[in-house]
Amino acid sequence: MTSSGERVRASVPDGRRIVVATPGAEPVADGGYAVVVLLDTWLLLARDSMRAAEEALRRWANAVGLLRPGGRALAVGEPGAPALQALVRWDHAGFAAREADDRREAGLPPATRVATMTGDPGALDDALTLLGRPEHAEVLGPLTLPPARPGDDPEERAVVRVPRSEGPELSRALAELQRLRSARKLDPVRIQVDPLEI
């Protein structure tokens, strides 16, 4: 039986069968699975995302959670990968603590408050000029983003980062910026605070 894409099964009846499912499309088996095999674990870890390992561990744990009592799990991948080691040891808390330490060291959320500002180059430049930045704010960028579709005009993105303690001040400054830009009917700039992806 398969479960993926447009044909996602919610459940499968009890009995002997092989179920092949893509990540996130695993059906619940009546009585649980005897065996769960996680193939190509490197694929989830290789995603271009700062949360790739976190998301991979979440998906793997969800699949392993479908086992019946006494069931077995087999993960095929690089045994030294921290997320895979966390799965093998069932140490989600330890993995989360290491991820938090790494993000603190890199100056990424949740250790800092981050806002992304995206728009046309001129609009973004205006927004950065009008923004009343908190005392310890860092502006990273702007950098040019690839067009979403062929023929689209390029957009730019800047990242504003502040210590967690200045997060509320940054939020107020961004709200005031959007109020000013709206009142002046300036070109739009999309702002996201602590986005899942930077």
Side-chain angles (χ1 to χ4, degrees):
M1 301 178 81
T2 61
S3 179
S4 64
E6 294 179 17
R7 177 90 168 99
V8 176
R9 295 176 184 271
S11 63
V12 293
D14 198 8
R16 291 180 176 220
R17 61 185 39 87
I18 294 175
V19 178
V20 178
T22 56
E26 304 91 345
V28 174
D30 291 343
Y33 290 100
V35 176
V36 168
V37 180
L38 304 169
L39 297 174
D40 301 329
T41 56
W42 62 270
L43 275 173
L44 285 176
L45 293 173
R47 287 181 39 238
D48 186 18
S49 166
M50 101 177 155
R51 298 183 66 194
E54 174 186 334
E55 180 64 14
L57 180 58
R58 183 188 71 79
R59 287 181 180 270
W60 299 334
N62 286 345
V64 171
L66 297 173
L67 284 169
R68 69 176 55 149
R72 300 276 181 154
L74 172 68
V76 180
E78 173 56 46
L84 202 47
Q85 281 297 309
L87 178 72
V88 168
R89 292 189 313 272
W90 206 251
D91 182 20
H92 299 78
F95 176 80
R98 283 187 297 282
E99 281 288 302
D101 288 344
D102 290 347
R103 290 181 189 184
R104 188 176 305 106
E105 193 174 304
L108 295 172
T112 59
R113 170 66 46 99
V114 171
T116 60
M117 302 171 68
T118 308
D120 294 332
L124 183 58
D125 187 52
D126 289 345
L128 289 170
T129 301
L130 287 172
L131 178 62
R133 297 180 199 149
E135 181 180 352
H136 299 101
E138 293 178 83
V139 177
L140 309 172
L143 62 92
T144 303
L145 301 174
R149 292 179 299 271
D152 281 359
D153 291 332
E155 288 189 315
E156 289 187 344
R157 175 171 295 151
V159 176
V160 181
R161 176 172 61 186
V162 297
R164 196 87 190 146
S165 61
E166 292 182 8
E169 189 180 343
L170 176 61
S171 293
R172 284 190 295 275
L174 291 168
E176 177 62 14
L177 170 68
Q178 291 296 65
R179 188 191 67 71
L180 283 171
R181 293 184 55 73
S182 178
R184 295 178 185 180
K185 300 189 183 331
L186 299 174
D187 290 338
V189 171
R190 287 185 312 281
I191 296 175
Q192 291 182 291
V193 176
D194 288 342
L196 294 179
E197 298 296 337
I198 297 177

